[in-house]
Amino acid sequence: MKTGIWLCFVVIAHAQIQDVSGSKIKAHVKFLSSDLLEGRGVGTRGGELAAEYIASQFAVAGARPAGEGGTYFQRVPLMGVTTQADSTLLASANGESVSFDWQKEFVGASHRQVTNEKFEADVIFVGHGIVAPEEKWNDFKDVDVRGKIIVLFTNEPQPGNPEVFKGKTLTYYGRWTYKYEQAVRMGALGAIIIHTTPTAGYG
């Protein structure tokens, strides 16, 4: 019986390899991206449902489980960081200050995995925060941002010009993740991205 089951899986796996199609892949993607899975966040019900679904597809394809207890899963310790509603952002200059309301005027996150993250530093505006040698573009030229907080616009410069950053086509330089990564590379303490409808392309 065990040999029969194992051979059956081999046959199924071989058949599926020979029958890969866009429509079948689309069906899986459609389910995994559906609202039923609630975003598939790590440690959430939707994430667990997605993992179980993928494991079931491994089984159908005949993949042998290599996880714990004969399953397709391996448990790993996780730590979550959530920004609290009483978080504050304050800017001051020339004896005057302005504060911003959480989730109304700003949102923010820190991944340092500490209970209370508090910092104060000078702020430097760096345009779009991009260093792109192939575009001959460097918003950090002759600017030392180490230990400082940078302020920058989202997206890319001159989005209407097809000769610069592929025009309106959003490249990785315009992504928020790139801007945070570049801030780290430049030694900045933090990065504040200014969102406007013209610079982002959406409200």
Side-chain angles (χ1 to χ4, degrees):
M1 180 64 70
K2 290 183 179 179
T3 302
I5 293 174
W6 184 81
L7 288 173
C8 180
F9 277 126
V10 171
V11 171
I12 292 173
H14 179 72
Q16 287 201 350
I17 291 173
Q18 298 299 318
D19 192 28
V20 174
S21 66
S23 61
K24 288 187 176 181
I25 295 174
K26 182 179 179 180
H28 294 303
V29 173
K30 185 176 181 180
F31 174 76
L32 291 170
S33 62
S34 70
D35 291 341
L36 291 173
L37 299 187
E38 305 164 351
R40 308 181 310 280
V42 177
T44 66
R45 174 179 175 274
E48 292 178 1
L49 287 173
E52 290 288 352
Y53 178 82
I54 295 171
S56 70
Q57 296 305 310
F58 284 164
V60 170
R64 290 183 296 176
E68 299 171 354
T71 69
Y72 293 97
F73 302 102
Q74 177 183 4
R75 295 187 178 277
V76 295
L78 297 175
M79 178 178 290
V81 178
T82 303
T83 305
Q84 300 300 303
D86 59 353
S87 298
T88 59
L89 177 64
L90 178 71
S92 61
N94 301 322
E96 298 184 4
S97 62
V98 58
S99 60
F100 302 90
D101 292 333
W102 169 249
Q103 289 195 334
K104 292 182 180 179
E105 299 173 304
F106 87 100
V107 294
S110 172
H111 300 286
R112 295 180 186 246
Q113 299 183 358
V114 294
T115 302
N116 185 25
E117 179 71 21
K118 184 177 181 180
F119 52 86
E120 180 178 346
D122 291 337
V123 174
I124 297 179
F125 177 70
V126 290
H128 287 81
I130 295 174
V131 177
E134 69 278 13
E135 297 283 353
K136 297 181 180 179
W137 194 280
N138 187 353
D139 284 318
F140 293 91
K141 184 179 180 180
D142 301 325
V143 179
D144 184 4
V145 300
R146 287 175 293 183
K148 297 179 175 62
I149 298 171
I150 61 173
V151 176
L152 53 117
F153 284 124
T154 188
N155 215 316
E156 299 158 338
Q158 304 177 15
N161 184 351
E163 301 300 322
V164 181
F165 292 100
K166 298 184 179 180
K168 293 183 178 181
T169 300
L170 181 62
T171 72
Y172 191 58
Y173 290 119
R175 299 288 185 183
W176 291 35
T177 48
Y178 165 79
K179 297 176 187 295
Y180 291 136
E181 291 164 359
Q182 187 60 36
V184 172
R185 284 190 285 266
M186 301 303 295
L189 176 65
I192 298 175
I193 301 178
I194 301 173
H195 178 104
T196 69
T197 299
T199 57
Y202 55 91

